[in-house]
Amino acid sequence: MRDPEQVEGAFGEVEQRWGPVEVLVANAGITRDALVLRMGEDDWHDVLDTNLTGAFRVAKRAIARMLRLRHGRIVFVSSVGAFVGLPGQANYAASKAGLVGMARALAREVASRQITVNVVAPGVVETDMTRVLGKQRVGELVGMVPLGRAGSPQDVAAAVGFLASDAAAYITGAVLPVDGGLGMGL
């Protein structure tokens, strides 16, 4: 995601084997959590470069071919953290909120070519990223979720699958929370 040559190479391999990319899911995400006063410049830039600039890179590359096809689906994976703001995650929240703005701008740019651009915003989901927080912190976060449990990767995949399907052909520029109600009303 952070290396333009690797992005181009990956697209080239996919296109050679399966043809033009019709569905892009930009799901890369890293964290480098620290309070702002302790956050290094590299931690800020690494997170923004991976989570936001990387998504820009792959979307730009996918859109170039989708325009010719006059069809396509792009789904960015953001986070409820973009809307609720958690201490120590200014870089992560900024990168994930940036995906929403980028998706809406792109949705307007490419809608006339029947390309949709949407966002899925997961909440607390059982992943390697949440496991490193430790059971106590995950328990605290789950305690804030109205449904009272963490989500599963399958919950997120179902939302992404829907937005990538023909059933969502009239949905663009939307943010679909998959967060058990954590960000409700935001």
Side-chain angles (χ1 to χ4, degrees):
M1 296 285 284
R2 292 177 61 181
D3 181 344
E5 289 179 13
Q6 286 189 14
V7 168
E8 184 59 38
F11 271 89
E13 286 180 33
V14 167
E15 290 167 344
Q16 183 178 5
R17 187 165 183 175
W18 291 293
V21 172
E22 295 180 51
V23 175
L24 171 71
V25 179
N27 186 39
I30 64 168
T31 60
R32 300 282 189 275
D33 294 354
L35 298 175
V36 168
L37 291 176
R38 294 184 181 147
M39 185 178 292
E41 291 278 329
D42 288 344
D43 292 335
W44 174 267
H45 290 292
D46 286 349
V47 171
L48 271 286
D49 287 349
T50 300
N51 300 1
L52 184 58
T53 305
F56 159 78
R57 259 186 210 106
V58 296
K60 181 178 178 179
R61 178 57 173 77
I63 287 170
R65 301 293 195 275
M66 289 176 181
L67 289 171
R68 290 186 199 118
L69 294 173
R70 300 186 68 79
H71 170 78
R73 302 279 184 269
I74 297 174
V75 180
F76 293 124
V77 180
S78 179
S79 170
V80 71
F83 305 103
V84 300
L86 297 171
Q89 289 199 324
N91 52 1
Y92 184 77
S95 70
K96 294 301 187 172
L99 291 174
V100 174
M102 182 167 60
R104 289 184 170 158
L106 290 176
R108 290 191 185 275
E109 288 181 21
V110 299
S112 67
R113 299 295 179 111
Q114 302 307 304
I115 301 166
T116 63
V117 185
N118 292 292
V119 178
V120 170
V124 183
V125 178
E126 297 168 347
T127 65
D128 292 341
M129 192 179 286
T130 56
R131 275 189 277 285
V132 300
L133 298 174
K135 288 185 180 185
Q136 181 179 344
R137 181 64 179 141
V138 172
E140 292 168 0
L141 293 171
V142 169
M144 298 172 11
V145 176
L147 285 179
R149 65 174 178 86
S152 70
Q154 292 78 12
D155 294 325
V156 178
V160 169
F162 167 68
L163 290 173
S165 75
D166 288 341
Y170 198 60
I171 300 171
T172 196
V175 177
L176 178 58
V178 184
D179 62 2
L182 180 59
M184 203 179 326
L186 302 172

